[in-house]
Amino acid sequence: MPGPRPKHTPDPSIEFSPRVSPPTTPRKVIIDVDPGVDDAIALTMALFDPRLEVVAVTAVGGNVPPEQATANVQALVAYLDPPRLPRLGAAPDDVALPARPYSVHGSDGLGGVDLPRVNLHAGHASEKVIWECLRAHPREITFVALGPLTNLARVLQRDPSIAEVIGDLVICGGTLHGCGNATPTADFNLYCDPAAARHVIREPVTKTLVPLETTGQVLLGFDVLDQLPAEESRAGAIVRGMLTHAFRAQRQILGSEGIHLHDAVGLVAATNPELFERTTVTADVEVTGELTSGMLVIDRRQIRRGRPNADVLTGCDAAAVQDCVLRGLAAAATT
Ligand code: RIB
Ligand code: CA
């Protein structure tokens, strides 16, 4: 790992200018993560995006156990040292995570990049941090869920009226046609805590789901490593380390040459919605099926029961989304 932050002279050929001119006031977001390499990539982008004010980063168990998720959030934020330090939430440790047949994230969840372990905050519970931030900024915050929905569901269970003060909700997860990654029918985030996912999707909150078929349209080839920020920058060092691991794991475990960064696409869905097609649906989450637990069930009947309760992103301009990811990472390396 590089030592003290070198004076990084921005590469003039990489100029991070958001596709839309930054709003006068940055958009407040809470990023809920189970880091995980793609969570960490999305978090790196968000922390240095001038259009966003990351009010809080809240950890949840999923790709890694809760304690590891909390430690990874703290280590990433400390190491990246963003212009504005967000509040940090500690993952609840009373959840039972399903066994995973394999992981492309590595045993530490970050592809083995050896970040200094820190304890930035006293470890306030994620649900407490989320509740306090939403109450402090009613209807201003976009909650970006990049892991299992455990934290948000708990906040909603503890105080159902909190639904009225959530500005927007973007959820990386679900499937359009039941082609899962955790099981044949479910994506990992909904599969990890289907009851939480059902609770959230049934809430009267404006929500957008970014399903696997859409995030999967962005397939990064090995050549992307040449387009990442320089190794000398802190962001460059860890992004290169994590993605190198991800490519190797993808090839060794799954025999494929490309990688998906589902959560990074999920973040771009929040910052650049113009790059995505969407449709409004009536959906729910299966919680008991032996083969279908965690499956996003979309009611496509002509005469469906229930009111539409979510937008689902049905496709994206994959090249433009990939460009947003690379620009976001470049921005993280220039400050
Ligand atoms: O299914 C999408 C999820 O799977 C992402 O959040 C990624 O972190 C992986 O766990
Ligand atoms: Ca994740």
Side-chain angles (χ1 to χ4, degrees):
M1 279 294 123
R5 181 198 289 272
K7 174 86 187 74
H8 183 70
T9 47
D11 176 345
S13 68
I14 301 179
E15 172 260 324
F16 178 64
S17 58
R19 292 183 171 281
V20 290
S21 57
T24 47
T25 50
R27 180 178 176 188
K28 288 182 172 61
V29 296
I30 293 175
I31 312 282
D32 195 64
V33 286
D34 61 328
V37 168
D38 59 331
D39 304 72
I41 296 295
L43 183 55
T44 302
M45 294 161 60
L47 289 171
F48 294 90
D49 189 326
R51 300 167 292 177
L52 302 180
E53 177 189 343
V54 184
V55 175
V57 180
T58 51
V60 62
N63 286 320
V64 290
E67 301 76 16
Q68 185 72 54
T70 301
N72 286 354
V73 163
Q74 302 234 12
L76 281 164
V77 173
Y79 188 77
L80 289 167
D81 188 23
R84 290 182 300 271
L85 203 57
R87 290 195 64 188
L88 304 183
D93 59 7
D94 57 346
V95 292
L97 294 175
R100 282 198 94 163
Y102 68 86
S103 168
V104 294
H105 304 282
S107 58
D108 67 347
L110 298 179
V113 292
D114 186 18
L115 293 178
R117 291 290 128 179
V118 293
N119 193 353
L120 273 183
H121 291 252
H124 296 293
S126 289
E127 60 186 275
K128 174 180 183 291
V129 171
I130 293 166
W131 186 86
E132 289 174 352
C133 290
L134 291 175
R135 282 288 173 211
H137 306 285
R139 287 173 293 282
E140 292 179 46
I141 291 178
T142 295
F143 189 91
V144 182
L146 304 179
L149 290 162
T150 309
N151 290 332
L152 187 54
R154 290 189 175 191
V155 174
L156 288 160
Q157 283 155 358
R158 168 177 147 184
D159 175 7
S161 68
I162 206 76
E164 298 157 20
V165 295
I166 298 174
D168 200 353
L169 175 53
V170 176
I171 300 168
C172 178
T175 61
L176 282 170
H177 306 292
C179 309
N181 58 359
T183 70
T185 57
D187 101 283
F188 182 74
N189 289 339
L190 274 54
Y191 175 65
C192 247
D193 193 341
R198 167 174 281 192
H199 188 115
V200 170
I201 202 159
R202 289 182 172 185
E203 282 293 325
V205 174
T206 305
K207 59 185 80 79
T208 299
L209 288 150
V210 195
L212 281 185
E213 292 90 340
T214 300
T215 59
Q217 278 183 250
V218 182
L219 182 67
L220 302 183
F222 212 66
D223 63 304
V224 82
L225 292 175
D226 299 331
Q227 302 168 59
L228 295 176
E231 182 82 26
E232 291 70 32
S233 67
R234 295 166 87 86
I238 59 172
V239 166
R240 285 174 176 275
M242 291 189 293
L243 292 192
T244 300
H245 169 91
F247 276 109
R248 188 182 312 120
Q250 191 78 16
R251 185 187 309 123
Q252 287 171 349
I253 298 169
L254 300 173
S256 60
E257 292 302 316
I259 60 171
H260 294 121
L261 297 177
H262 299 289
D263 293 335
V265 179
L267 180 77
V268 176
T271 58
N272 294 80
E274 75 281 2
L275 300 180
F276 295 79
E277 293 93 42
R278 66 177 58 228
T279 187
T280 301
V281 298
T282 302
D284 205 342
V285 178
E286 175 55 65
V287 294
T288 59
E290 182 189 347
L291 300 177
T292 55
S293 180
M295 179 177 180
L296 180 71
V297 180
I298 296 174
D299 190 345
R300 293 184 169 88
R301 290 172 295 179
Q302 196 165 358
I303 304 177
R304 60 194 168 192
R305 278 206 304 277
R307 297 163 56 86
N309 59 350
D311 277 4
V312 173
L313 300 186
T314 54
C316 72
D317 176 342
V321 171
Q322 178 169 323
D323 186 50
C324 284
V325 172
L326 293 174
R327 284 164 177 263
L329 295 176
T334 56
T335 47

mmCIF file of all heavy atoms in Angstrom, residues 203-224:
data_model
loop_
_atom_site.group_PDB
_atom_site.id
_atom_site.type_symbol
_atom_site.label_atom_id
_atom_site.label_comp_id
_atom_site.label_asym_id
_atom_site.label_seq_id
_atom_site.Cartn_x
_atom_site.Cartn_y
_atom_site.Cartn_z
ATOM 1 N N GLU A 203 -43.526 -1.046 1.404
ATOM 2 C CA GLU A 203 -43.688 0.273 2.022
ATOM 3 C C GLU A 203 -44.088 1.315 0.976
ATOM 4 O O GLU A 203 -43.610 1.283 -0.170
ATOM 5 C CB GLU A 203 -42.367 0.720 2.662
ATOM 6 C CG GLU A 203 -42.086 0.067 4.004
ATOM 7 C CD GLU A 203 -43.069 0.512 5.088
ATOM 8 O OE1 GLU A 203 -43.484 1.689 5.058
ATOM 9 O OE2 GLU A 203 -43.400 -0.311 5.943
ATOM 10 N N PRO A 204 -44.940 2.284 1.362
ATOM 11 C CA PRO A 204 -45.352 3.343 0.421
ATOM 12 C C PRO A 204 -44.260 4.400 0.270
ATOM 13 O O PRO A 204 -44.411 5.538 0.650
ATOM 14 C CB PRO A 204 -46.598 3.932 1.114
ATOM 15 C CG PRO A 204 -46.356 3.707 2.568
ATOM 16 C CD PRO A 204 -45.589 2.424 2.682
ATOM 17 N N VAL A 205 -43.135 3.960 -0.265
ATOM 18 C CA VAL A 205 -41.988 4.859 -0.481
ATOM 19 C C VAL A 205 -41.635 4.795 -1.960
ATOM 20 O O VAL A 205 -41.670 3.701 -2.561
ATOM 21 C CB VAL A 205 -40.771 4.369 0.348
ATOM 22 C CG1 VAL A 205 -39.524 5.190 0.032
ATOM 23 C CG2 VAL A 205 -41.077 4.403 1.835
ATOM 24 N N THR A 206 -41.322 5.935 -2.553
ATOM 25 C CA THR A 206 -40.864 5.935 -3.948
ATOM 26 C C THR A 206 -39.587 5.106 -4.033
ATOM 27 O O THR A 206 -38.636 5.377 -3.285
ATOM 28 C CB THR A 206 -40.558 7.379 -4.414
ATOM 29 O OG1 THR A 206 -41.700 8.179 -4.191
ATOM 30 C CG2 THR A 206 -40.176 7.389 -5.887
ATOM 31 N N LYS A 207 -39.628 4.049 -4.835
ATOM 32 C CA LYS A 207 -38.448 3.170 -4.867
ATOM 33 C C LYS A 207 -38.150 2.743 -6.305
ATOM 34 O O LYS A 207 -39.051 2.555 -7.117
ATOM 35 C CB LYS A 207 -38.658 1.959 -3.977
ATOM 36 C CG LYS A 207 -39.837 1.082 -4.317
ATOM 37 C CD LYS A 207 -40.076 -0.047 -3.309
ATOM 38 C CE LYS A 207 -40.805 0.475 -2.107
ATOM 39 N NZ LYS A 207 -42.264 0.669 -2.267
ATOM 40 N N THR A 208 -36.869 2.561 -6.557
ATOM 41 C CA THR A 208 -36.402 2.081 -7.866
ATOM 42 C C THR A 208 -35.530 0.859 -7.649
ATOM 43 O O THR A 208 -34.572 0.915 -6.859
ATOM 44 C CB THR A 208 -35.577 3.173 -8.586
ATOM 45 O OG1 THR A 208 -36.400 4.323 -8.793
ATOM 46 C CG2 THR A 208 -35.064 2.658 -9.934
ATOM 47 N N LEU A 209 -35.872 -0.223 -8.318
ATOM 48 C CA LEU A 209 -35.082 -1.446 -8.229
ATOM 49 C C LEU A 209 -34.167 -1.544 -9.442
ATOM 50 O O LEU A 209 -34.584 -1.271 -10.574
ATOM 51 C CB LEU A 209 -36.015 -2.662 -8.184
ATOM 52 C CG LEU A 209 -36.779 -2.848 -6.862
ATOM 53 C CD1 LEU A 209 -38.116 -3.519 -7.110
ATOM 54 C CD2 LEU A 209 -35.955 -3.659 -5.885
ATOM 55 N N VAL A 210 -32.916 -1.898 -9.198
ATOM 56 C CA VAL A 210 -31.935 -2.059 -10.273
ATOM 57 C C VAL A 210 -31.604 -3.556 -10.342
ATOM 58 O O VAL A 210 -30.743 -4.030 -9.581
ATOM 59 C CB VAL A 210 -30.669 -1.228 -10.013
ATOM 60 C CG1 VAL A 210 -29.831 -1.101 -11.293
ATOM 61 C CG2 VAL A 210 -31.011 0.166 -9.498
ATOM 62 N N PRO A 211 -32.294 -4.294 -11.183
ATOM 63 C CA PRO A 211 -32.173 -5.761 -11.159
ATOM 64 C C PRO A 211 -30.911 -6.276 -11.847
ATOM 65 O O PRO A 211 -30.243 -5.547 -12.579
ATOM 66 C CB PRO A 211 -33.432 -6.218 -11.902
ATOM 67 C CG PRO A 211 -33.717 -5.110 -12.862
ATOM 68 C CD PRO A 211 -33.295 -3.837 -12.157
ATOM 69 N N LEU A 212 -30.623 -7.534 -11.593
ATOM 70 C CA LEU A 212 -29.392 -8.142 -12.116
ATOM 71 C C LEU A 212 -29.285 -8.066 -13.631
ATOM 72 O O LEU A 212 -28.193 -7.859 -14.180
ATOM 73 C CB LEU A 212 -29.342 -9.624 -11.717
ATOM 74 C CG LEU A 212 -28.928 -9.985 -10.310
ATOM 75 C CD1 LEU A 212 -28.836 -11.494 -10.200
ATOM 76 C CD2 LEU A 212 -27.613 -9.332 -9.932
ATOM 77 N N GLU A 213 -30.427 -8.244 -14.311
ATOM 78 C CA GLU A 213 -30.341 -8.228 -15.778
ATOM 79 C C GLU A 213 -29.854 -6.882 -16.292
ATOM 80 O O GLU A 213 -29.237 -6.791 -17.346
ATOM 81 C CB GLU A 213 -31.715 -8.549 -16.399
ATOM 82 C CG GLU A 213 -32.195 -9.975 -16.188
ATOM 83 C CD GLU A 213 -33.016 -10.133 -14.919
ATOM 84 O OE1 GLU A 213 -32.904 -9.272 -14.018
ATOM 85 O OE2 GLU A 213 -33.752 -11.117 -14.816
ATOM 86 N N THR A 214 -30.152 -5.827 -15.541
ATOM 87 C CA THR A 214 -29.719 -4.488 -15.956
ATOM 88 C C THR A 214 -28.290 -4.208 -15.503
ATOM 89 O O THR A 214 -27.448 -3.758 -16.285
ATOM 90 C CB THR A 214 -30.694 -3.434 -15.400
ATOM 91 O OG1 THR A 214 -31.998 -3.718 -15.934
ATOM 92 C CG2 THR A 214 -30.289 -2.020 -15.784
ATOM 93 N N THR A 215 -27.993 -4.498 -14.236
ATOM 94 C CA THR A 215 -26.598 -4.283 -13.789
ATOM 95 C C THR A 215 -25.644 -5.203 -14.560
ATOM 96 O O THR A 215 -24.490 -4.856 -14.800
ATOM 97 C CB THR A 215 -26.454 -4.551 -12.281
ATOM 98 O OG1 THR A 215 -26.856 -5.913 -11.992
ATOM 99 C CG2 THR A 215 -27.290 -3.581 -11.458
ATOM 100 N N GLY A 216 -26.182 -6.352 -14.964
ATOM 101 C CA GLY A 216 -25.337 -7.320 -15.689
ATOM 102 C C GLY A 216 -25.029 -6.918 -17.113
ATOM 103 O O GLY A 216 -24.159 -7.505 -17.766
ATOM 104 N N GLN A 217 -25.727 -5.876 -17.601
ATOM 105 C CA GLN A 217 -25.413 -5.397 -18.960
ATOM 106 C C GLN A 217 -24.021 -4.762 -19.003
ATOM 107 O O GLN A 217 -23.409 -4.681 -20.066
ATOM 108 C CB GLN A 217 -26.441 -4.325 -19.391
ATOM 109 C CG GLN A 217 -27.746 -4.851 -19.920
ATOM 110 C CD GLN A 217 -28.613 -3.686 -20.373
ATOM 111 O OE1 GLN A 217 -29.613 -3.379 -19.753
ATOM 112 N NE2 GLN A 217 -28.208 -3.009 -21.442
ATOM 113 N N VAL A 218 -23.558 -4.302 -17.843
ATOM 114 C CA VAL A 218 -22.230 -3.666 -17.790
ATOM 115 C C VAL A 218 -21.221 -4.747 -17.407
ATOM 116 O O VAL A 218 -21.157 -5.162 -16.250
ATOM 117 C CB VAL A 218 -22.216 -2.503 -16.778
ATOM 118 C CG1 VAL A 218 -20.842 -1.814 -16.777
ATOM 119 C CG2 VAL A 218 -23.310 -1.500 -17.111
ATOM 120 N N LEU A 219 -20.500 -5.240 -18.387
ATOM 121 C CA LEU A 219 -19.507 -6.299 -18.164
ATOM 122 C C LEU A 219 -18.130 -5.700 -18.427
ATOM 123 O O LEU A 219 -17.810 -5.289 -19.535
ATOM 124 C CB LEU A 219 -19.775 -7.473 -19.110
ATOM 125 C CG LEU A 219 -18.834 -8.675 -18.963
ATOM 126 C CD1 LEU A 219 -19.036 -9.364 -17.614
ATOM 127 C CD2 LEU A 219 -19.059 -9.674 -20.109
ATOM 128 N N LEU A 220 -17.323 -5.616 -17.384
ATOM 129 C CA LEU A 220 -16.001 -4.989 -17.512
ATOM 130 C C LEU A 220 -14.990 -6.032 -17.964
ATOM 131 O O LEU A 220 -14.871 -7.099 -17.354
ATOM 132 C CB LEU A 220 -15.564 -4.395 -16.172
ATOM 133 C CG LEU A 220 -16.494 -3.351 -15.546
ATOM 134 C CD1 LEU A 220 -15.874 -2.800 -14.262
ATOM 135 C CD2 LEU A 220 -16.794 -2.213 -16.498
ATOM 136 N N GLY A 221 -14.264 -5.700 -19.050
ATOM 137 C CA GLY A 221 -13.202 -6.586 -19.515
ATOM 138 C C GLY A 221 -11.890 -6.223 -18.848
ATOM 139 O O GLY A 221 -11.773 -5.195 -18.167
ATOM 140 N N PHE A 222 -10.907 -7.091 -19.046
ATOM 141 C CA PHE A 222 -9.600 -6.930 -18.410
ATOM 142 C C PHE A 222 -8.953 -5.591 -18.783
ATOM 143 O O PHE A 222 -8.212 -4.990 -18.001
ATOM 144 C CB PHE A 222 -8.697 -8.089 -18.861
ATOM 145 C CG PHE A 222 -7.712 -8.514 -17.817
ATOM 146 C CD1 PHE A 222 -8.142 -9.088 -16.634
ATOM 147 C CD2 PHE A 222 -6.354 -8.296 -17.999
ATOM 148 C CE1 PHE A 222 -7.227 -9.481 -15.655
ATOM 149 C CE2 PHE A 222 -5.429 -8.673 -17.036
ATOM 150 C CZ PHE A 222 -5.871 -9.254 -15.857
ATOM 151 N N ASP A 223 -9.320 -5.079 -19.972
ATOM 152 C CA ASP A 223 -8.703 -3.819 -20.441
ATOM 153 C C ASP A 223 -9.061 -2.651 -19.536
ATOM 154 O O ASP A 223 -8.394 -1.614 -19.538
ATOM 155 C CB ASP A 223 -9.167 -3.516 -21.872
ATOM 156 C CG ASP A 223 -10.684 -3.303 -21.930
ATOM 157 O OD1 ASP A 223 -11.420 -4.226 -21.494
ATOM 158 O OD2 ASP A 223 -11.139 -2.219 -22.344
ATOM 159 N N VAL A 224 -10.101 -2.818 -18.709
ATOM 160 C CA VAL A 224 -10.500 -1.692 -17.844
ATOM 161 C C VAL A 224 -9.389 -1.359 -16.860
ATOM 162 O O VAL A 224 -9.271 -0.221 -16.390
ATOM 163 C CB VAL A 224 -11.824 -2.021 -17.129
ATOM 164 C CG1 VAL A 224 -11.601 -2.898 -15.883
ATOM 165 C CG2 VAL A 224 -12.563 -0.755 -16.722
#
